[in-house]
Amino acid sequence: MYREFFKLEQQPFRQVDGGDAIYLSTGHDTARSYIEYLLRDSDGLGLILGDAGSGKTATLHHVLQKNGETVIAACLSQPELAPTELLLAVCMQLGIETKNIAADELAHAIEQFGLRQHLHGKVVTIIVDDAHRLSRDVLIQLRTLAKPDRHGFSKINLLFVGRPQLGEVIESTNEEFPRQQIRFTYRLNPLLENEVGSYIQHRVAHAGENSKLAFGADVNSLIYRYTGGVPALINILGSKVLDETFARQKSEPDVECVNKVIEDLGWELFVDSSDAEERAAAGGSPHLPPVGAKLIVRSKGTIIAEHLLKKQRVLLGRQSDKDIFIHDKRVSRSHAQLVRINDVFFLQDLDSSNGTFLGKKKIKWHSLRSGDVFRIGGHEIEYVEHQTPLPDSPATAN
């Protein structure tokens, strides 16, 4: 609403995934250098640590966008995956074709891919975002992939990006990740007070080169005191301050506008990183909600159930304990599953007796697109995506 008023082409405080909109402070630029070093020249494990909203993921995506054509990397943003699912996601991102989806076969295919690239002088890196949430089983699987050869070199690099507790997770698994294999650990801190003004100016300038919108030094100082220099919190507060400024029909924000927004948000002076996570969750972010998805189950052309997909893995079958229970003797007890990998749902047949079909084609593994209709037993199931927030839990069939 305020973009035309302030002569902006887009929202200055929207979430960005890299590109020119990102502001590289001294700390973010150092993190960028470390990431590029691992992607191009090093072997082993690199750790980028930072509190919620510090800009770790944006910096990572910035590097990948700038270097995408010259690096070989698989970037995973869902650490909750089981070991086999994670290996499958790596294969898909690296373009590795494999007919067998057993864990040992997938791992072997990745290792051979890494060896071939190594012989051509190229570096292969597996990147895991939110890596502090990795399970020990997945850590062990990744350690196996990155195990140094008899000469001490790894054919597969690992880059873990996550919260500060990631360091403790790695420390507790020293058996899986010896210290000598960790090439670097870098802690990305919030912006300094004198960087907040530059950050805001950069975001505004990128949003509208003809805009004369400016945040004064007193406003920037107040924003720093209530955000601690955490970029995600600056974005939340900055966006709402512009809403308030527009509502008052002022040409630029002032301290009164900022104080009003802070009062509405119920924020107190920033203390530590726990404030960042709580405020980011409660304050919302100025971007569209994630794409949701659902399954529409039909029998003889009649809709009998709809299921919202909120879980990482959704099991379909004839057993009543399955996420989606289908009462049909032609359906196996554990017939198929949907697995969400990097915001894409994949359909996998679980060696069912009568198969899973897309049209007339019997499938083992399929990347779903909105509108796809697959068949198990006598039921047709349509996969549909929608741009609306999902409720807390999926519907269940009776």
Side-chain angles (χ1 to χ4, degrees), residues 229-243:
V230 177
L233 298 185
I234 297 173
N235 293 342
I236 292 172
L237 186 55
S239 180
K240 294 183 181 298
V241 164
L242 287 185
D243 286 335

Side-chain angles (χ1 to χ4, degrees), residues 351-372:
D351 296 322
S352 63
S353 299
N354 295 313
T356 301
F357 293 83
L358 190 72
K360 295 182 179 180
K361 182 180 178 181
K362 188 176 183 179
I363 62 170
K364 183 66 178 177
W365 186 267
H366 175 72
S367 172
L368 287 170
R369 296 184 179 182
S370 188
D372 279 352

Side-chain angles (χ1 to χ4, degrees), residues 293-301 305 307 309 314-317 324 326 328 331 335-339 345-350 352 354-385:
K294 66 179 179 180
L295 294 180
I296 302 174
V297 184
R298 293 182 174 89
S299 178
K300 298 180 180 179
H307 303 267
L309 303 178
V314 178
L315 292 168
L316 300 85
I324 297 180
I326 299 178
D328 185 334
V331 175
H335 193 106
Q337 68 175 353
L338 268 68
V339 181
F345 275 103
F346 292 84
L347 171 65
Q348 179 187 8
D349 182 84
L350 299 176
S352 63
N354 295 313
T356 301
F357 293 83
L358 190 72
K360 295 182 179 180
K361 182 180 178 181
K362 188 176 183 179
I363 62 170
K364 183 66 178 177
W365 186 267
H366 175 72
S367 172
L368 287 170
R369 296 184 179 182
S370 188
D372 279 352
V373 178
F374 59 94
R375 177 171 55 83
I376 61 176
H379 291 68
E380 290 188 336
I381 303 174
E382 182 180 5
Y383 171 79
V384 179
E385 293 180 350

Side-chain angles (χ1 to χ4, degrees), residues 41-254:
D41 303 312
S42 182
D43 70 299
L45 169 65
L47 305 178
I48 299 292
L49 312 179
D51 291 316
S54 59
K56 306 180 298 297
T57 300
T59 304
L60 170 63
H61 289 177
H62 173 74
V63 174
L64 293 176
Q65 288 178 22
K66 293 292 185 183
N67 299 276
E69 296 182 358
T70 58
V71 301
I72 303 174
C75 186
L76 309 176
S77 58
Q78 293 178 301
E80 307 94 336
L81 295 175
T84 301
E85 295 162 355
L86 180 135
L87 293 173
L88 189 57
V90 171
C91 286
M92 288 189 296
Q93 290 210 21
L94 294 178
I96 301 172
E97 296 185 3
T98 175
K99 295 180 179 180
N100 196 318
I101 59 172
D104 55 347
E105 293 292 336
L106 294 171
H108 179 71
I110 295 169
E111 291 166 358
Q112 291 301 304
F113 178 84
L115 177 60
R116 291 193 298 272
Q117 298 304 322
H118 177 74
L119 293 175
H120 287 87
K122 297 182 179 179
V123 179
V124 178
T125 305
I126 297 175
I127 304 168
V128 183
D129 201 3
D130 279 344
H132 55 279
R133 293 155 55 193
L134 285 170
S135 69
R136 186 179 182 86
D137 288 344
V138 171
L139 280 171
I140 293 173
Q141 183 67 74
L142 291 171
R143 169 67 181 88
T144 302
L145 288 177
K147 185 178 180 179
D149 60 20
R150 59 191 179 90
H151 301 293
F153 294 100
S154 300
K155 305 301 185 296
I156 304 289
N157 288 347
L158 299 175
L159 175 62
F160 291 166
V161 180
R163 304 276 178 86
Q165 57 263 40
L166 170 60
E168 300 174 7
V169 172
I170 298 298
E171 188 74 22
S172 67
T173 57
N174 186 54
E175 181 180 343
E176 280 73 40
F177 291 99
R179 291 187 179 183
Q180 62 268 26
Q181 196 179 351
I182 301 177
R183 293 296 181 243
F184 65 82
T185 300
Y186 181 72
R187 172 70 180 265
L188 182 59
N189 292 313
L191 302 176
L192 300 174
E193 184 171 3
N194 60 4
E195 292 177 318
V196 169
S198 298
Y199 173 86
I200 292 174
Q201 182 180 3
H202 174 85
R203 297 300 296 263
V204 170
H206 190 269
E209 57 182 14
N210 296 319
S211 177
K212 296 182 179 180
L213 177 65
F215 284 58
D218 53 346
V219 171
N220 292 335
S221 178
L222 188 58
I223 289 176
Y224 172 78
R225 290 168 58 197
Y226 281 87
T227 64
V230 177
L233 298 185
I234 297 173
N235 293 342
I236 292 172
L237 186 55
S239 180
K240 294 183 181 298
V241 164
L242 287 185
D243 286 335
E244 183 67 24
T245 304
F246 170 73
R248 299 182 182 216
Q249 293 292 289
K250 293 186 175 183
S251 60
E252 60 184 40
D254 56 22

Side-chain angles (χ1 to χ4, degrees), residues 226-331:
Y226 281 87
T227 64
V230 177
L233 298 185
I234 297 173
N235 293 342
I236 292 172
L237 186 55
S239 180
K240 294 183 181 298
V241 164
L242 287 185
D243 286 335
E244 183 67 24
T245 304
F246 170 73
R248 299 182 182 216
Q249 293 292 289
K250 293 186 175 183
S251 60
E252 60 184 40
D254 56 22
V255 170
E256 185 179 356
C257 289
V258 180
N259 280 326
K260 176 61 167 61
V261 172
I262 290 171
E263 180 182 355
D264 291 343
L265 289 172
W267 286 7
E268 297 181 356
L269 289 173
F270 187 90
V271 177
D272 55 33
S273 59
S274 62
D275 287 351
E277 188 168 358
E278 181 180 347
R279 294 179 186 185
S285 55
H287 62 278
L288 290 174
V291 172
K294 66 179 179 180
L295 294 180
I296 302 174
V297 184
R298 293 182 174 89
S299 178
K300 298 180 180 179
T302 301
I303 296 177
I304 60 173
E306 294 189 13
H307 303 267
L308 297 174
L309 303 178
K310 284 280 287 180
K311 297 174 65 176
Q312 193 78 28
R313 181 193 308 171
V314 178
L315 292 168
L316 300 85
R318 189 160 44 89
Q319 281 184 322
S320 59
D321 61 346
K322 294 297 178 281
D323 299 302
I324 297 180
F325 167 59
I326 299 178
H327 185 62
D328 185 334
K329 64 182 180 180
R330 291 164 292 182
V331 175

